[in-house]
Amino acid sequence: MTERPSPSRDASGRSDSEQPPLPPARFAYDRHTWKEIAHLLTNLPLALLGFTYVVTVLSTGAFLTLTVIGFPLLAAGLMGARQLGKLERARARALLGVRVDEPSPLPLRGGTDGFFPQLWLALKDPVGWRTMLYDFIRLPWGIVTFTITLTSLFVLWPVLPFIARGLTNADRAMVRGLLSPSDELERRIAELESDRGVVVDTAAADLRRIERDLHDGAQARLVNLAMGLGLAKEKLLEDPDAAATMVAEAHGEVKLALQELRDLARGIHPAVLTDRGLDAALSAVASRCTVPVKVTVDLLSRPVAAIEGIAYFTVSELLQNISKHSGAKSASVDVWRSDERLLIQVWDDGRGGARLDGGTGMRGLADRLDAVDGLFVIESPQGGPTTVTAELPWRDRVPGQGYGGRRQGPGRGGDNPPFETPTASMVLGPAVDQGGDTTAQPRRRG
């Protein structure tokens, strides 16, 4: 699935949450004590630098807000404050052993969003303002720590390690409190940036697929149709029998073109899904599978169209791969709602061995679900059975558009309406279309 930004790691591979505790302070001056003393002594010069920068930026920016350059100057000052925060985090890592994640950069895209939206984005940057606050309050603290540390070096040197530990613990708290990224917000921003890229790439691939299908399929047949009708028109008076044959051939081309356009429309969004919901649509897809499929849909209402479409195309892609690659003798599809999640489980008794990193297209399908805050879990031991579990966020439709009840039946035969399995989807694209089994061990309902 989509990789999330991980906490920063040191050379030994430890993450921020796994930092080893500092050794206790002691009378002997070890390397940790000397690092803490160095940090305390450098507090004052860096605090002077930061305080001067903050006062200058705020006073100048506030005064010049009466002109057109005030707000851009203040925005530039906030971006500069980010660099001061980066310096302080580096100093804390080197001297205090405090490792905090670097905040996400501002999503400024070279002016593509316009000047004023980017200006407003920079002005409301929480990382810049927290760094400004950090630098502003550090001056009195820097004076206190510098004075105490320098005096203790000559007067209280036997207990200086304990004094230094107490003072630097306050420094560590300030760094973590004001210079750490807003964990939940920053993580969410990183997720949305990654998901946006997946959605954009998928939409572009779908547009190319539709253009290719139209160009190579229906468009070519319509060109042949026009040429055939033109020739038939010329021969209508000279050779009526030949003209009638050409018209019959053109009629066949029209039927084929209509069928290809119908297949293309079903690949974009099938009418049965819009009219009758997931139950009927999934049963129709299962009826086209070469493996007997048992479909169970337990929904008292319908989700919004976007979620319903993603669920449909997810199952459709998985069933296509079962037909092509699994070697299964039977399969099942279960769909139900649990709280605010729509859960999907597709199981088969095939050969197994499906993995996200197996080069079978599973990674693309997982990324597409992840782009809408979904989950995609596989358990597929060699030899099977195999099952995929997918979760999607549930959002209700407008009242009056739902459908109710529980319907269960085999996917092959029965009264399922005829339906051509889509070759790809506007939502998911042809994510799973080559090699390997596409299902995994289900997480059973309780």
Side-chain angles (χ1 to χ4, degrees):
M1 286 176 268
T2 304
E3 298 296 332
R4 299 301 186 198
S6 60
S8 58
R9 295 179 178 270
D10 58 17
S12 63
R14 297 187 181 93
S15 66
D16 297 349
S17 60
E18 300 168 348
Q19 293 177 35
L22 290 170
R26 53 186 179 180
F27 291 103
Y29 281 51
D30 56 14
R31 62 185 181 89
H32 296 289
T33 300
W34 284 115
K35 284 183 177 181
E36 291 174 342
I37 293 172
H39 185 275
L40 295 172
L41 292 176
T42 56
N43 272 350
L44 181 57
L46 289 176
L48 282 171
L49 174 64
F51 184 84
T52 303
Y53 178 85
V54 170
V55 171
T56 302
V57 168
L58 290 180
S59 59
T60 305
F63 177 75
L64 292 178
T65 51
L66 301 176
T67 68
V68 295
I69 65 173
F71 288 112
L73 181 62
L74 186 56
L78 287 169
M79 296 178 69
R82 276 178 163 256
Q83 301 306 312
L84 290 177
K86 185 176 181 179
L87 173 63
E88 285 293 329
R89 282 187 292 273
R91 188 167 71 104
R93 279 193 297 270
L95 300 178
L96 300 183
V98 176
R99 298 176 180 87
V100 296
D101 293 333
E102 292 293 331
S104 300
L106 286 175
L108 304 177
R109 291 180 283 275
T112 57
D113 291 341
F115 173 75
F116 289 104
Q118 294 190 72
L119 175 63
W120 175 243
L121 184 65
L123 286 174
K124 64 178 184 179
D125 176 24
V127 174
W129 285 111
R130 287 203 309 271
T131 306
M132 287 267 202
L133 176 61
Y134 177 87
D135 288 328
F136 186 79
I137 66 176
R138 289 288 291 180
L139 181 59
W141 177 250
I143 295 174
V144 170
T145 57
F146 180 85
T147 303
I148 293 177
T149 305
L150 190 61
T151 303
S152 300
L153 275 173
F154 298 100
V155 179
L156 300 174
W157 60 265
V159 294
L160 179 56
F162 300 94
I163 297 174
R165 178 58 55 86
L167 295 176
T168 52
N169 280 340
D171 278 323
R172 292 183 179 94
M174 291 185 193
V175 170
R176 292 191 179 102
L178 295 175
L179 298 183
S180 294
S182 302
D183 292 338
E184 192 61 32
L185 178 60
E186 292 292 328
R187 188 180 304 112
R188 186 59 178 160
I189 289 174
E191 290 176 6
L192 292 176
E193 288 176 349
S194 175
D195 294 344
R196 180 183 60 193
V198 172
V199 171
V200 170
D201 292 343
T202 302
D206 288 334
L207 289 175
R208 290 193 299 269
R209 176 184 60 83
I210 293 172
E211 179 184 13
R212 182 180 64 252
D213 291 346
L214 286 173
H215 181 272
D216 297 341
Q219 178 179 321
R221 294 195 179 279
L222 291 175
V223 170
N224 290 335
L225 172 64
M227 294 175 62
L229 289 177
L231 293 174
K233 180 180 178 181
E234 293 178 358
K235 291 182 175 292
L236 184 60
L237 297 178
E238 299 177 2
D239 190 351
D241 293 337
T245 302
M246 291 180 178
V247 170
E249 292 176 353
H251 183 249
E253 289 289 333
V254 170
K255 288 183 177 180
L256 292 174
L258 288 175
Q259 182 62 39
E260 290 179 356
L261 289 174
R262 188 178 296 113
D263 292 342
L264 180 61
R266 286 169 175 169
I268 295 173
H269 196 83
V272 66
L273 178 63
T274 302
D275 297 339
R276 301 175 59 187
L278 276 173
D279 192 354
L282 294 182
S283 295
V285 172
S287 70
R288 307 294 297 182
C289 186
T290 59
V291 176
V293 181
K294 180 181 179 181
V295 178
T296 303
V297 177
D298 187 6
L299 297 175
L300 298 179
S301 61
R302 293 178 63 175
V304 294
I307 298 300
E308 190 175 63
I310 293 173
Y312 169 82
F313 285 114
T314 299
V315 175
S316 175
E317 294 287 349
L318 294 174
L319 290 182
Q320 285 189 57
N321 247 37
I322 290 175
S323 296
K324 294 177 182 178
H325 311 294
S326 70
K329 296 181 179 179
S330 63
S332 66
V333 176
D334 292 277
V335 181
W336 75 97
R337 178 182 178 180
S338 177
D339 296 327
E340 297 304 313
R341 307 289 286 181
L342 176 66
L343 287 91
I344 304 167
Q345 291 178 348
V346 181
W347 173 92
D348 73 71
D349 58 359
R351 64 178 61 95
R355 304 190 316 273
L356 280 180
D357 57 352
T360 60
M362 301 292 278
R363 172 68 64 180
L365 189 57
D367 287 345
R368 286 161 174 79
L369 265 70
D370 189 66
V372 291
D373 288 338
L375 296 175
F376 190 82
V377 181
I378 299 171
E379 185 177 339
S380 182
Q382 290 293 338
T386 58
T387 309
V388 68
T389 301
E391 292 186 15
L392 291 165
W394 178 279
R395 290 194 292 273
D396 287 307
R397 285 199 177 194
V398 177
Q401 295 183 352
Y403 72 106
R406 176 187 178 98
R407 179 176 177 272
Q408 177 173 320
R412 300 187 67 181
D415 298 328
N416 294 321
F419 185 76
E420 187 73 21
T421 302
T423 58
S425 73
M426 277 296 291
V427 180
L428 294 177
V432 181
D433 192 38
Q434 53 185 343
D437 196 358
T438 62
T439 54
Q441 189 62 33
R443 187 175 46 186
R444 296 298 180 187
R445 287 178 279 179

